[in-house]
């Protein structure tokens, strides 16, 4: 076998390595103990596939200065951003990176559309599908990024759903006409791109913050499908594998998120749950349910120190205060006194899927202590104290009892079944759904106001003093 014959196998081998490492890495992401290693393995496989493409793909224009200059610039920006970002900003970064993936898929479609004849229907359909899905994902992800960091507010107006559906109908009709060669590709591909970007913006604008975990996973699946279209287009096995994995994982996660909220995907997309009808609207007014009961730091520490079992419910307030490490310290202080400590995790707590799991894993909380909603609900009855840290809508009993509530039917953590509930919040301001929480007014609930990190630090000192 000649050297040229051997080299012809290098590119397929690099793609095979990339595909296998993607699958292996995704499998390892399923557990915190192996997640970091799985991420590195998948990244290594991607690096091999990139090098194989640069040096051994027959159609690559080998302008190495531009290629490696772009790689170096991207690597520097990505590394800096990843090191600089706080864990509280991770949902924003996920949205931004996902948007960049969609933009790449859209640009591939735009460039390839100029090289394809109108008669090549299948290839043209693949190109347009990648452009449409990628550009919608890009525009939607950028809006989601802006909403997560507070730069963009929820925007709703009369006839919005009709406008969105009409725009989507026009986009689909254009796809059919472009793929069939009825419309000139060189002109109308730019019209299609503009329509998709507008639709991506309008699609995400009205969706409220409480639905952001679902929206992020849905947009993530869009980007995966768009990348898979690129894999079909170039007959690139590693792009195809990566796109299918991202697309299918994002779709499954979206379905699980909807199930966790007891809502259909259509209801999430058009229901605007958690959105305000007025950008300038303030928080929803509290119900007239009587006075709340406050608890002092020393009393809260006393109750937790002499409890047999304490369950902690983390929420976005914990993330904002960057208090995950302090929370772990409180856990260890309680365990030194013989208290059993577990965490109750709601699937949509935070601003992205698995947000609380990521925060607590960063703080080295042991994975077996993290209970999913169903398991946690079965253990609240045996808990002496439940401490809610910055969570709101996911512990609201109104979801089970108040048919007029916008969160009615959403499965929640049934913390009210514990003997005592301590809720740490900075104020009585409603959560992202914009509604008051019935839990705060129940007889067994006590409020502990203050920044989560400062409160936890003081609780640790009080617990150690007891």
């Amino acid at each position: 076998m000649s050297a040229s014959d051997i080299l012809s196998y290098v590119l397929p081998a690099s793609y095979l390595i990339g595909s296998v490492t993607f699958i292996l890495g995704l499998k390892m992401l399923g557990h915190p103990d192996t997640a970091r290693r799985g991420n590195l393995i998948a990244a290594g496989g991607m690096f091999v596939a990139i090098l194989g493409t640069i040096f051994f793909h027959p159609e690559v224009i080998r302008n190495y200065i531009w290629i490696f200059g772009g790689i170096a610039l991207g690597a520097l920006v990505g590394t800096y951003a990843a090191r600089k970002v706080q864990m509280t900003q991770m949902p924003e970064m996920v949205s931004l990176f996902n948007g960049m993936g969609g933009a790449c898929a859209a640009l591939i479609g735009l460039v390839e559309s100029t090289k394809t004849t109108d008669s090549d229907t299948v290839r043209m359909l693949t190109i347009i599908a990648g452009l449409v899905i990628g550009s919608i994902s890009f525009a939607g992800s950028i809006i989601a990024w802006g909403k997560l960091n507070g730069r963009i507010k929820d925007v709703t107006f009369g006839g919005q759903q009709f406008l969105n559906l009409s725009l989507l109908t026009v986009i689909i009709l254009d796809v059919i006409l472009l793929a069939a060669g009825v419309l000139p590709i060189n002109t109308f591909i730019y019209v299609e791109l503009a329509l998709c970007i507008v639709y991506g913006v309008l699609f995400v604008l009205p969706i409220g913050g409480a639905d952001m975990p679902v929206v992020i996973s849905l947009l993530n699946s869009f980007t995966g499908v768009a990348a898979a279209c690129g894999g079909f287009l170039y007959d690139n096995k590693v792009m195809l594998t990566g796109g299918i994995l991202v697309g299918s994982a994002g779709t499954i996660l979206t379905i699980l998120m909807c199930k966790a909220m007891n809502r259909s995907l259509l209801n999430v997309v058009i229901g605007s749950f958690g959105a305000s009808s007025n950008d300038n609207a303030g928080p929803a007014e509290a119900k007239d349910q009587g006075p709340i009961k406050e608890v002092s730091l020393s009393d809260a520490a006393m109750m937790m120190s002499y409890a047999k079992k304490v369950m902690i419910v983390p929420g976005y307030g914990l993330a904002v205060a960057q208090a995950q490490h302090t929370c772990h310290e409180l856990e260890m202080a309680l365990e030194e006194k013989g208290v059993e400590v577990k965490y109750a995790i709601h699937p949509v707590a935070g601003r992205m899927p698995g947000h609380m799991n990521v925060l607590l894993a960063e703080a080295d909380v042991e994975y077996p202590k993290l209970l999913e909603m169903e398991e946690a609900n079965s253990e609240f009855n045996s808990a002496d104290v439940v401490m809610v840290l910055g969570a709101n809508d996911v512990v609201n009993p109104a979801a089970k009892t108040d048919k007029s509530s916008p969160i009615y039917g959403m499965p929640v953590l049934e913390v009210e079944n514990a003997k005592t509930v301590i809720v740490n919040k900075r104020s009585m301001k409603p959560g992202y759904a914009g509604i008051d929480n019935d839990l705060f007014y129940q007889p067994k609930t006590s409020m502990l106001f203050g920044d989560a990190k400062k409160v936890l630090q003081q609780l640790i000192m009080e617990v150690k003093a007891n």
Side-chain angles (χ1 to χ4, degrees):
M1 184 179 290
S2 65
S4 60
D5 291 333
I6 294 174
L7 291 176
S8 66
Y9 290 102
V10 174
L11 183 61
S14 69
Y15 288 170
L16 179 62
I17 292 171
S19 299
V20 171
T21 55
F22 287 173
I23 297 170
L24 181 61
L26 183 62
K27 174 67 176 177
M28 296 174 74
L29 288 174
H31 197 284
D33 292 342
T34 58
R36 189 185 299 272
R37 189 163 68 253
N39 192 35
L40 292 174
I41 289 174
M46 188 69 203
F47 183 69
V48 170
I50 290 172
L51 291 182
T53 301
I54 293 172
F55 292 110
F56 299 103
H57 198 289
E59 297 181 11
V60 168
I61 300 174
R62 290 176 169 80
N63 191 329
Y64 293 130
I65 295 177
W66 282 101
I67 291 173
F68 285 105
I71 291 174
L73 179 62
L76 286 173
V77 172
T79 301
Y80 174 79
R83 289 185 176 276
K84 189 77 173 177
V85 68
Q86 300 291 333
M87 288 303 296
T88 52
Q89 300 170 314
M90 194 56 69
E92 301 165 33
M93 175 163 278
V94 170
S95 291
L96 188 60
F97 281 1
N98 186 65
M100 295 302 101
C104 289
L107 288 173
I108 288 173
L110 195 62
V111 170
E112 291 300 320
S113 66
T114 62
K115 303 178 182 179
T116 305
T117 61
D118 292 347
S119 59
D120 195 347
T121 305
V122 175
R123 180 176 173 83
M124 183 60 68
L125 185 60
T126 304
I127 290 171
I128 298 172
L131 181 141
V132 167
I133 300 170
S135 54
I136 291 174
S137 177
F138 164 69
S141 296
I142 295 302
I143 297 300
W145 169 77
K147 295 178 82 169
L148 287 168
N149 62 31
R151 289 183 172 90
I152 299 176
K153 303 297 183 183
D154 301 330
V155 177
T156 57
F157 52 85
Q160 190 170 26
Q161 295 175 10
F162 176 77
L163 175 62
N164 287 355
L165 289 174
S166 300
L167 190 57
L168 181 60
T169 302
V170 172
I171 289 171
I172 294 172
L173 183 61
D174 280 353
V175 169
I176 296 172
L177 295 177
L178 285 169
V182 176
L183 295 176
I185 188 69
N186 290 335
T187 301
F188 278 87
I189 194 68
Y190 296 100
V191 175
E192 185 76 348
L193 176 64
L195 289 174
C196 291
I197 291 175
V198 172
Y199 176 74
V201 171
L202 295 178
F203 159 62
V204 179
L205 269 180
I207 298 177
D211 279 333
M212 271 301 134
V214 181
V215 174
I216 290 174
S217 60
L218 180 62
L219 292 172
N220 194 42
S221 69
F222 283 178
T223 298
V225 173
C229 289
F232 277 117
L233 188 62
Y234 293 130
D235 192 26
N236 187 314
K237 306 302 186 297
V238 75
M239 279 184 71
L240 185 60
T241 303
I244 290 173
L245 287 174
V246 173
S248 58
T251 301
I252 292 170
L253 188 57
T254 301
I255 293 171
L256 291 175
M257 292 292 104
C258 289
K259 183 179 179 182
M261 300 172 71
N262 196 28
R263 303 172 69 211
S264 67
L265 180 58
L266 181 63
N267 184 251
V268 169
V269 172
I270 69 174
S272 301
F273 171 53
S276 59
S277 58
N278 186 336
D279 286 353
N280 298 318
E285 291 184 4
K287 296 179 182 178
D288 185 15
Q289 301 189 73
I292 60 169
K293 181 174 61 177
E294 291 191 51
V295 64
S296 66
L297 279 163
S298 57
D299 287 344
M302 184 73 70
M303 285 188 283
M304 298 174 77
S305 297
Y306 290 96
K308 291 182 179 179
K309 182 176 182 179
V310 171
M311 295 184 69
I312 299 173
V313 180
Y316 191 63
L318 175 76
V320 170
Q322 301 181 36
Q324 61 269 28
H325 294 279
T326 314
C327 185
H328 182 42
E329 291 176 21
L330 175 63
E331 169 205 330
M332 292 188 292
L334 290 171
E335 287 181 337
E336 288 179 2
K337 292 183 172 293
V339 180
E340 180 185 8
V341 181
K342 292 185 178 181
Y343 295 80
I345 311 295
H346 193 280
V348 295
R351 297 295 182 267
M352 72 175 185
H355 195 181
M356 296 301 106
N357 300 71
V358 172
L359 284 177
L360 296 173
E362 185 207 17
D364 296 323
V365 174
E366 295 177 9
Y367 187 68
K369 295 180 181 179
L370 307 183
L371 305 183
E372 299 296 333
M373 181 171 58
E374 291 80 6
E375 188 179 0
N377 282 341
S378 67
E379 294 202 20
F380 282 128
N381 285 321
S382 60
D384 297 298
V385 179
V386 169
M387 185 164 195
V388 180
L389 294 170
N392 201 321
D393 303 318
V394 297
V395 294
N396 193 340
K400 300 182 296 179
T401 60
D402 186 358
K403 292 185 179 181
S404 65
S405 173
I407 64 171
Y408 179 73
M410 184 181 88
V412 293
L413 292 167
E414 299 169 354
V415 298
E416 70 275 10
N417 292 334
K419 295 181 178 65
T420 302
V421 180
I422 300 173
V423 179
N424 169 238
K425 284 174 61 69
R426 285 183 291 183
S427 70
M428 287 296 292
K429 183 180 178 180
Y432 230 168
I435 58 175
D436 203 16
N437 194 333
D438 293 353
L439 176 70
F440 302 160
Y441 306 93
Q442 294 192 358
K444 64 173 66 176
T445 301
S446 300
M447 306 299 296
L448 183 59
F449 293 110
D451 175 81
K453 189 171 186 177
K454 293 179 180 178
V455 166
L456 288 172
Q457 288 171 339
Q458 293 171 321
L459 275 176
I460 292 169
M461 292 188 289
E462 293 283 351
V463 167
K464 290 181 177 180
N466 285 327

